[in-house]
Amino acid sequence: MKMIENKIDAHATHSALVRGLVSFAKKQWIWAYFAAGATYFVTLLVVPTGGGAGALLYAALTFASFAVIVGVGQMFVVTLGPGNVDLSIPATMTLAGTLALKFMDTDSSLVVPGILIAIGVGLACGLFNFSLILVLRIPPIIATLSSSFLFQSLAIWSNRGLRIKPPEVLANFSTGGFGGVPNVAIIAVLVSIVGWFVLERAIAGRWISAVGQNQRAARLAGVPVNAVRLGVYTGCAVLAGLTGFILACFSGGANLNMGTEYMLMSIAVVVIGGSSIAGGNSNVPGIWGAALFMFLIVSMLNSYGLGAGVRLMLTGLIIVSVVALASRTGRRP
Amino acid sequence: MNREHLRALLPFMSLAILLAAVFYMQPRAMSYFGLNLLFNLAIPVALATVAQMMILMINDIDLSIGTFVSFCACVTATFVQSDPVIGYAILAGAILVYAGMGAIIHVRKLPAIVVTLGMSFFWAGMAILILPSPGGSAPDWLRTMMTAKTPFLPVAIIAPIIIGLSMHYFVKRSALGVLLRGVGGNEQAIERSGWSVLRLKAVAYGIAGLLCVLSGMALVGLATSADANIALRYTLLSIAGVILGGGEFTGGRVSPIGAVVGALTLTLAASFLSFLHLSSDWQIGAQGAILILVLAARLIFTRREATI
């Protein structure tokens, strides 16, 4: 009797393991990690120094973190369905970083109000974006695009291109690490965990996905569609503001085009990470894989000593190939 | 007048209001040369905008137009000027790549937004390889053509009219145009009635590529030289132009003449702001504000119509 029970037990765990492996391999986001891992090893092959492996991982974690924080925000926006993309992320980052650093003016005692200002700027930008979308019924791509022009002008006007240094404490914190892990990566992990919880475990996440799959059906089912969209757009802008703040401290000051690359980056990490650009079906873990991959690609091409032109070309080709290989036909509804 | 008419008229009205404001502030602009100066740079923008329209028409979006037009401009200012045969071969090859991109997006069911983002890196890299630092020069015939002194109306007015009318004929009147709009409206219906959606999408991307090549060439003709970042703004300008002109993101609902008018409006907005002597800090912001205003006006018209 006991033996049979054991056998059934073993059988159950075995099939559970197989099922687990199969469902694991079916996950879109696995591909991003494969790509990142492969790039990591290829890069190591050409990095001459002995301590290369650890240093490369540390750098990758640091730079991927910025992409992850904005990526989580962008992911929620993309989940809302076709046509939902936030193009104002770079401008929001710049504006938040600029205003917060200008307020603190290298004074370490003003750190907390500084962070609050960055978050407040993000909140205001998100509210403005969503009011354009809701009240003026402007398509989100165009709404966030036009508002990004306004945010950018505000940033230019407020600091006139001067670089304002961050307070000592923040500069040390953002470039430092804890137990071999960069501080910014710890923040990014926390943001991802909260993002994952909201998306997968909270009612809000179900609502967001429902709106993305069919807005009309969601509304009829009693989902507060506009409140959900408001939350997503402001949440995304707040994360952008926060990233702008940390990035400004990390790079020794806010400057006007510090956010530029994150427009593309935020969209790329979401899609390479396996979230559906058509909305309604997103995941958080893939964002990390994709962000690491994007950074490692650039550092791999750098370590081969290629010129800027070839580097850009190869980056483009690799992104397109990864997306083409990782996608499965019939994924788009 | 029904809603459709008002919708179609709105782009023209925004352009007229903006033009009236410019003439009011700078009466001397109301001349052959004034108009030419105001709308000069509108020609490449209009071409890029109708290229974007071809893509939006089949429910995709192209985020690589800015870097692709820059690439075409670099090729025009270097190879087309020195070795025309190689130059045109490169441009023809680039158009084929565009068509191939459309085919791959369809076959692998990829999100166009990501593929074109990736390709924007590719074109930027190619442009830097061809022209590492700003320079090059326009082929003579191109320069002559873009600065020609045509009777009565300047080139800057004639060219957009030709672009708008010929695209209108192609998209709204020709059989191929109807099919392409059909792909945007209902892809399955087109597929089931025996057409190859794959081929149609490749054709749409190919035509968009051709229009971008023309845009890059026109830009070099006007600017006389090129650099790898010369047209980066065109990605966003072209999307905004199509939407200003009454186009939609989905469903194959586009208006070629509207798109050209949208491009003219955006170009004029920039000139208008420089006439205002606005501090350069606010130039970009004011452009965003004008965009929001025009789109808000579109809403008022639709609403008023709805309440009647």
Side-chain angles (χ1 to χ4, degrees):
Chain A
M1 193 64 198
K2 187 93 180 159
M3 217 169 72
I4 295 170
E5 251 173 29
N6 270 348
K7 220 172 180 177
I8 292 171
D9 232 36
H11 186 72
T13 38
H14 177 71
S15 61
L17 190 71
V18 169
R19 234 182 300 128
L21 276 177
V22 168
S23 72
F24 194 62
K26 265 188 187 158
K27 295 235 189 294
Q28 284 290 339
W29 51 263
I30 287 300
W31 293 100
Y33 283 91
F34 278 146
T39 327
Y40 180 66
F41 286 112
V42 174
T43 316
L44 282 187
L45 290 179
V46 291
V47 173
T49 50
L56 181 65
L57 193 62
Y58 193 85
L61 279 175
T62 308
F63 285 96
S65 303
F66 298 115
V68 166
I69 306 177
V70 284
V72 169
Q74 186 75 279
M75 177 210 71
F76 279 111
V77 175
V78 166
T79 313
L80 284 179
N84 282 293
V85 173
D86 188 348
L87 296 183
S88 69
I89 285 181
T92 309
M93 285 170 68
T94 310
L95 186 60
T98 308
L99 292 184
L101 260 62
K102 194 178 175 190
F103 173 79
M104 293 186 296
D105 199 21
T106 70
D107 185 352
S108 290
S109 61
L110 292 175
V111 166
V112 175
I115 295 173
L116 290 179
I117 283 183
I119 290 174
V121 169
L123 209 61
C125 291
L127 283 173
F128 184 72
N129 277 339
F130 187 66
S131 62
L132 290 183
I133 296 167
L134 183 73
V135 181
L136 298 182
R137 282 197 247 149
I138 302 177
I141 293 183
I142 298 289
T144 52
L145 172 64
S146 358
S147 62
S148 79
F149 290 158
L150 291 175
F151 302 160
Q152 213 178 333
S153 268
L154 268 176
I156 296 174
W157 169 74
S158 72
N159 88 332
R160 320 208 65 101
L162 297 174
R163 184 179 272 261
I164 308 155
K165 279 210 162 65
E168 195 76 27
V169 192
L170 282 173
N172 290 338
F173 173 80
S174 58
T175 49
F178 182 79
V181 182
N183 286 332
V184 282
I186 297 173
I187 296 175
V189 168
L190 292 178
V191 169
S192 325
I193 291 173
V194 173
W196 176 84
F197 184 81
V198 170
L199 182 72
E200 306 279 354
R201 291 286 177 272
I203 182 86
R206 303 294 93 198
W207 281 346
I208 295 169
S209 296
V211 172
Q213 281 157 17
N214 190 332
Q215 187 165 323
R216 200 175 128 74
R219 179 172 287 134
L220 293 175
V223 173
V225 173
N226 284 332
V228 167
R229 292 167 74 207
L230 171 73
V232 167
Y233 275 95
T234 46
C236 176
V238 166
L239 286 177
L242 195 66
T243 316
F245 180 78
I246 304 171
L247 185 62
C249 295
F250 176 80
S251 53
N255 65 335
L256 287 176
N257 43 18
M258 63 183 220
T260 318
E261 64 175 303
Y262 288 95
M263 176 154 116
L264 209 148
M265 193 66 97
S266 64
I267 303 174
V269 294
V270 172
V271 181
I272 294 179
S275 299
S276 164
I277 196 82
N281 180 13
S282 294
N283 74 78
V284 176
I287 296 176
W288 268 101
L292 289 168
F293 168 65
M294 292 290 285
F295 172 79
L296 287 166
I297 279 289
V298 176
S299 57
M300 177 182 84
L301 297 173
N302 272 335
S303 59
Y304 277 111
L306 299 171
V310 182
R311 226 162 52 211
L312 281 169
M313 255 178 65
L314 288 177
T315 311
L317 283 180
I318 292 172
I319 293 176
V320 173
S321 325
V322 167
V323 173
L325 289 176
S327 92
R328 258 176 241 146
T329 44
R331 194 171 117 222
R332 206 161 56 171
Chain B
M1 286 222 286
N2 60 24
R3 185 164 166 263
E4 285 298 315
H5 284 136
L6 276 175
R7 255 184 96 90
L9 266 181
L10 191 64
F12 292 94
M13 275 156 45
S14 0
L15 181 62
I17 291 170
L18 208 51
L19 200 57
V22 168
F23 285 162
Y24 174 75
M25 279 187 301
Q26 192 58 268
R28 269 173 294 177
M30 220 182 320
S31 65
Y32 184 98
F33 289 106
L35 283 174
N36 206 10
L37 278 177
L38 280 179
F39 288 114
N40 220 327
L41 284 169
I43 302 172
V45 179
L47 284 165
T49 307
V50 286
Q52 183 71 263
M53 186 196 71
M54 292 299 299
I55 308 287
L56 288 178
M57 194 159 82
I58 53 168
N59 289 353
D60 283 349
I61 189 166
D62 187 352
L63 295 187
S64 64
I65 278 190
T67 51
F68 184 58
V69 172
S70 305
F71 162 76
C72 296
C74 289
V75 174
T76 309
T78 53
F79 286 106
V80 173
Q81 201 264 335
S82 53
D83 315 274
V85 180
I86 302 178
Y88 291 120
I90 295 177
L91 292 178
I95 294 174
L96 284 181
V97 171
Y98 240 77
M101 186 167 84
I104 290 176
I105 286 174
H106 178 70
V107 172
R108 298 286 304 164
K109 296 206 192 312
L110 304 178
I113 198 166
V114 187
V115 175
T116 54
L117 264 180
M119 286 307 282
S120 74
F121 281 103
F122 177 76
W123 298 121
M126 292 283 276
I128 291 176
L129 279 184
I130 289 174
L131 202 62
S133 57
S137 57
D140 291 332
W141 63 268
L142 196 58
R143 182 87 195 119
T144 324
M145 202 174 94
M146 295 306 292
T147 53
K149 301 256 182 303
T150 43
F152 305 117
L153 282 174
V155 179
I157 303 292
I158 295 175
I161 292 176
I162 294 175
I163 297 167
L165 288 180
S166 49
M167 286 307 287
H168 179 80
Y169 179 81
F170 170 63
V171 169
K172 300 278 184 181
R173 295 275 177 272
S174 78
L176 183 56
V178 172
L179 277 176
L180 288 176
R181 280 188 291 139
V183 171
N186 191 337
E187 198 177 305
Q188 282 183 336
I190 298 288
E191 185 89 63
R192 282 184 191 149
S193 46
W195 302 95
S196 159
V197 173
L198 169 65
R199 201 170 300 162
L200 286 172
K201 282 204 169 174
V203 166
Y205 273 86
I207 294 171
L210 173 68
L211 291 165
C212 286
V213 167
L214 295 178
S215 168
M217 294 179 81
L219 187 55
V220 173
L222 288 167
T224 68
S225 68
D227 75 88
N229 302 322
I230 191 166
L232 292 190
R233 310 174 301 127
Y234 282 22
T235 304
L236 302 180
L237 274 182
S238 63
I239 301 174
V242 175
I243 302 301
L244 270 185
E248 303 265 340
F249 277 106
T250 51
R253 290 183 53 162
V254 292
S255 155
I257 296 182
V260 171
V261 173
L264 293 181
T265 311
L266 287 172
T267 320
L268 194 60
S271 314
F272 172 72
L273 294 172
S274 59
F275 281 138
L276 273 181
H277 299 296
L278 201 66
S279 143
S280 62
D281 297 353
W282 292 102
Q283 289 266 350
I284 314 171
Q287 240 170 324
I290 289 182
L291 202 56
I292 294 172
L293 272 180
V294 176
L295 290 167
R298 179 157 108 174
L299 174 77
I300 294 168
F301 279 99
T302 357
R303 268 216 183 135
R304 187 171 294 168
E305 184 55 34
T307 50
I308 288 169

